[in-house]
Amino acid sequence: MSETHEQEAVARVWAAMYDLVLRQENRRKEVADALGMSFFRIKALRYLLAGPMTMRELTTELATDKPYTSLMVDDLERRGYVTRSVSPGDRRSKIVTLTPSGTAVAEEAQRILARPPRSLLALDPDDLAALDRIMTRLRTLRSRPRARGRRRRRAGRRAA
């Protein structure tokens, strides 16, 4: 396959994956509608399932800025989903902790987001097994750049 055809194939596959995950069955919208808040707030609650975080840690995890994190945590606190307390180790630092109702909302979000798309459930067993193998392979490749592997293969062909 020529490099141009390979790039086109990669673009088609990515477009199909994007469409499947983010358009056909828009779980982000579904979970936001079901829980009555923005997906970003839901994302914060899901991060907090792992345990309490400082405001700074939460800001970093969400890749946002401090003022927005404060506004968001204010809203989550008003809704009864989180509490904010002073860090015992640094009185300038605030710790955000899920309440029981915040945990329930975050877990419900996890359930909605984890539900497989209907189209995956409709695949026949052989296609599902092939896709499973491909996805496993993609996970193992994510830490290795593709270009280096391609150069090695081509260099090996020239030597032969």
Side-chain angles (χ1 to χ4, degrees):
M1 183 182 291
S2 75
E3 195 162 329
T4 301
H5 289 302
E6 187 175 330
Q7 289 171 349
E8 290 170 357
V10 167
R12 275 193 314 276
V13 168
W14 175 243
M17 290 171 63
Y18 182 89
D19 185 63
L20 173 67
V21 174
L22 296 176
R23 289 195 184 124
Q24 286 182 25
E25 299 203 28
N26 189 344
R27 295 283 192 241
R28 289 178 179 190
K29 182 177 180 347
E30 182 181 343
V31 76
D33 290 349
L35 300 175
M37 71 181 91
S38 73
F39 186 76
F40 202 73
R41 283 168 170 70
I42 293 163
K43 187 175 176 182
L45 293 175
R46 291 174 54 227
Y47 277 126
L48 290 166
L49 276 173
M53 300 174 112
T54 65
M55 290 287 286
R56 174 176 280 150
E57 291 168 336
L58 189 56
T59 298
T60 300
E61 286 294 323
L62 293 169
T64 189
D65 56 29
K66 291 177 188 178
Y68 187 73
T69 302
S70 287
L71 288 172
M72 183 187 54
V73 170
D74 287 345
D75 180 59
L76 294 173
E77 198 170 28
R78 274 192 299 278
R79 293 170 184 254
Y81 297 149
V82 300
T83 59
R84 205 177 339 203
S85 59
V86 174
S87 171
D90 180 357
R91 300 202 46 79
R92 297 169 296 170
S93 181
K94 302 286 188 239
I95 297 177
V96 183
T97 306
L98 285 175
T99 63
S101 60
T103 299
V105 167
E107 288 172 346
E108 177 62 17
Q110 295 285 69
R111 277 189 291 281
I112 293 169
L113 293 167
R115 197 172 62 242
R118 287 183 294 270
S119 53
L120 279 182
L121 297 170
L123 287 176
D124 69 53
D126 291 340
D127 287 344
L128 187 58
L131 183 57
D132 186 34
R133 282 190 304 278
I134 291 166
M135 296 307 295
T136 299
R137 178 77 174 126
L138 287 172
R139 278 191 221 102
T140 63
L141 290 174
R142 72 176 157 210
S143 63
R144 293 184 296 177
R146 177 137 161 72
R148 284 196 318 210
R150 187 182 300 149
R151 277 192 218 117
R152 269 193 227 116
R153 274 185 291 172
R154 287 186 182 158
R157 282 189 217 148
R158 281 188 222 129

